[in-house]
């Protein structure tokens, strides 16, 4: 009995050592566990000569919810939130071109308008005629444009701390951008803890070795991300003229302590929308679907239910 216990402890120690020595394995394992818990599998599809990688799960015959991540992020932002959806809805969480495991050619545009049209093409390639769309930050900007430009295809819109409007109270990000700082694009691995503090009120727990690895990866991508961010600013599409074109029910969901995009953005958007709903999470930052996934999912599902969105597909 003692020998068996010692062997088990030794195996655990060896596994822990391997994961510590190879943080990429630790990250892949963590992401696999999160996606499996959410009943999501990884797939890819070529659209417009670009390989788009995505998570997919839930009943095939149910209505589809398309999830769009923000700047510098990827599809791994969504499983903690999506696990509350996949029992009743068909869920797709994409890696936008330029992010995650999708194609990243340097010679194409990554502005929000172009990305919105790519996602419209992506959904048509999937054979999905009508769907719900949810986006966070830059992904919310893209989701709103998708709904404004393709109203017949979008059943409802979830905008989580979205970009695209001029807030009455400028956020800390915009104040720092005026001073030539961009906290969203790393200059050093030492900046990574400050980035986490900037995005979250309560950071998710991260082993120190994994945090160091994520910092190294973010630094490796900083030049490319800087180029994308510059495109977003130079080819900016304001949402104020676009929001009245959205015919679908729209949920504006925000963390009240968001330092990236100020919660006062809601005051601009709500009067411009035909069917707005509002949910504000107290003591929450820029990515509520990561920081408070269960509460965010409950608010979103309540929004769908209030707007009589059936679960059966309407493709």
């Amino acid at each position: 009995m003692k020998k068996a216990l010692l062997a088990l402890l030794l195996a655990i120690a060896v596994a822990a050592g391997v994961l510590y020595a190879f943080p990429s394995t630790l990250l892949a394992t963590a992401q696999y566990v999160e996606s499996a818990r959410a009943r999501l599998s990884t797939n890819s599809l070529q659209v417009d000569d670009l390989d788009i990688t995505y998570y997919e799960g839930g009943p095939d015959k149910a209505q589809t919810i398309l999830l769009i991540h923000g700047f510098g992020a990827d599809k791994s932002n969504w499983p903690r939130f999506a696990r509350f959806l996949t029992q009743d809805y068909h869920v797709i969480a994409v890696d936008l071109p330029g992010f995650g495991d999708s194609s990243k050619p340097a010679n194409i545009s990554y502005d929000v308008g172009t990305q919105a049209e790519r996602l419209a093409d992506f959904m048509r390639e999937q054979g999905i005629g009508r769907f719900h769309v949810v986006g966070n930050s830059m992904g919310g900007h893209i989701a709103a444009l998708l709904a404004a430009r393709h109203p017949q295809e979008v059943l409802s819109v979830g905008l989580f701390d979205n970009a695209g409007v001029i807030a009455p109270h400028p956020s800390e990000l915009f104040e720092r951008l005026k001073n030539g700082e961009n906290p969203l694009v790393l200059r050093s691995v030492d900046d990574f803890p400050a980035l986490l503090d900037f995005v979250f009120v309560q950071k998710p727990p991260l082993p120190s070795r994994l945090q160091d690895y994520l910092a190294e990866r973010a630094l490796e991508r900083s030049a490319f991300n800087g180029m994308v961010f510059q495109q977003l600013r130079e080819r900016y599409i304001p949402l104020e003229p676009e929001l009245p074109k959205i015919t679908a029910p729209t949920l504006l969901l925000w963390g009240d302590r968001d330092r990236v995009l100020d919660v006062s953005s809601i005051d601009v958007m709500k009067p411009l929308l035909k069917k707005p709903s509002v949910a504000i999470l107290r003591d929450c930052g820029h990515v509520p679907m990561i920081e408070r996934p269960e509460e965010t999912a409950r608010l979103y599902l309540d929004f769908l239910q209030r707007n009589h969105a059936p679960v059966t597909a309407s493709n």
Side-chain angles (χ1 to χ4, degrees), residues 208-276:
S208 59
R209 186 66 188 97
L210 183 54
Q211 180 170 304
D212 292 343
Y213 175 66
L214 290 171
E216 292 161 7
R217 288 206 336 168
L219 186 62
E220 288 172 2
R221 297 173 182 175
S222 63
F224 185 88
N225 284 349
M227 179 270 290
V228 173
F229 196 87
Q230 189 65 24
Q231 284 193 13
L232 293 174
R233 299 192 75 185
E234 291 175 351
R235 305 173 192 178
Y236 179 75
I237 300 174
L239 282 183
E240 286 87 346
E242 303 294 331
L243 294 174
K245 302 174 187 175
I246 297 176
T247 58
T250 303
L251 173 64
L252 305 174
L253 185 146
W254 225 279
D256 70 345
R257 292 174 60 185
D258 189 343
R259 298 163 64 188
V260 180
L261 296 166
D262 193 79
V263 66
S264 63
S265 300
I266 290 174
D267 297 336
V268 176
M269 292 188 289
K270 186 179 177 182
L272 298 175
L273 290 162
K274 290 182 172 62
K275 301 174 184 177

Side-chain angles (χ1 to χ4, degrees), residues 5 27 119 173 216:
L5 179 60
L27 178 63
L119 289 180
L173 172 65
E216 292 161 7

Side-chain angles (χ1 to χ4, degrees), residues 107-213:
N107 61 343
I108 66 170
S109 180
Y110 295 100
D111 65 273
V112 289
T114 302
Q115 296 280 43
E117 295 309 316
R118 287 187 183 122
L119 289 180
D121 291 344
F122 170 82
M123 296 303 279
R124 291 188 196 108
E125 285 289 330
Q126 294 275 9
I128 299 171
R130 303 191 73 200
F131 53 92
H132 306 276
V133 61
V134 176
N136 170 241
S137 194
M138 176 191 72
H141 196 167
I142 294 167
L145 287 175
L146 186 58
R149 294 177 175 183
H150 302 277
Q152 300 306 313
E153 298 171 29
V154 174
L155 295 166
S156 76
V157 190
L159 303 179
F160 296 179
D161 298 67
N162 65 279
V165 299
I166 298 176
H169 303 291
S171 68
E172 183 180 336
L173 172 65
F174 283 91
E175 293 296 331
R176 292 173 69 172
L177 288 172
K178 288 179 184 177
N179 296 324
E181 300 177 54
N182 187 348
L184 301 182
V185 177
L186 258 59
R187 295 168 299 173
S188 161
V189 291
D190 296 333
D191 294 336
F192 192 69
L195 173 61
L196 294 179
D197 288 336
F198 190 62
V199 171
F200 295 100
V201 173
Q202 293 183 328
K203 295 178 290 188
L206 276 177
S208 59
R209 186 66 188 97
L210 183 54
Q211 180 170 304
D212 292 343
Y213 175 66

Side-chain angles (χ1 to χ4, degrees), residues 80-118:
R80 291 183 182 184
F81 169 79
R83 77 183 183 92
F84 299 102
L85 310 182
T86 48
Q87 180 175 340
D88 295 319
Y89 289 92
H90 174 229
V91 175
I92 294 175
V94 297
D95 277 338
L96 288 166
F99 300 94
D101 296 319
S102 291
S103 297
K104 305 175 184 65
N107 61 343
I108 66 170
S109 180
Y110 295 100
D111 65 273
V112 289
T114 302
Q115 296 280 43
E117 295 309 316
R118 287 187 183 122

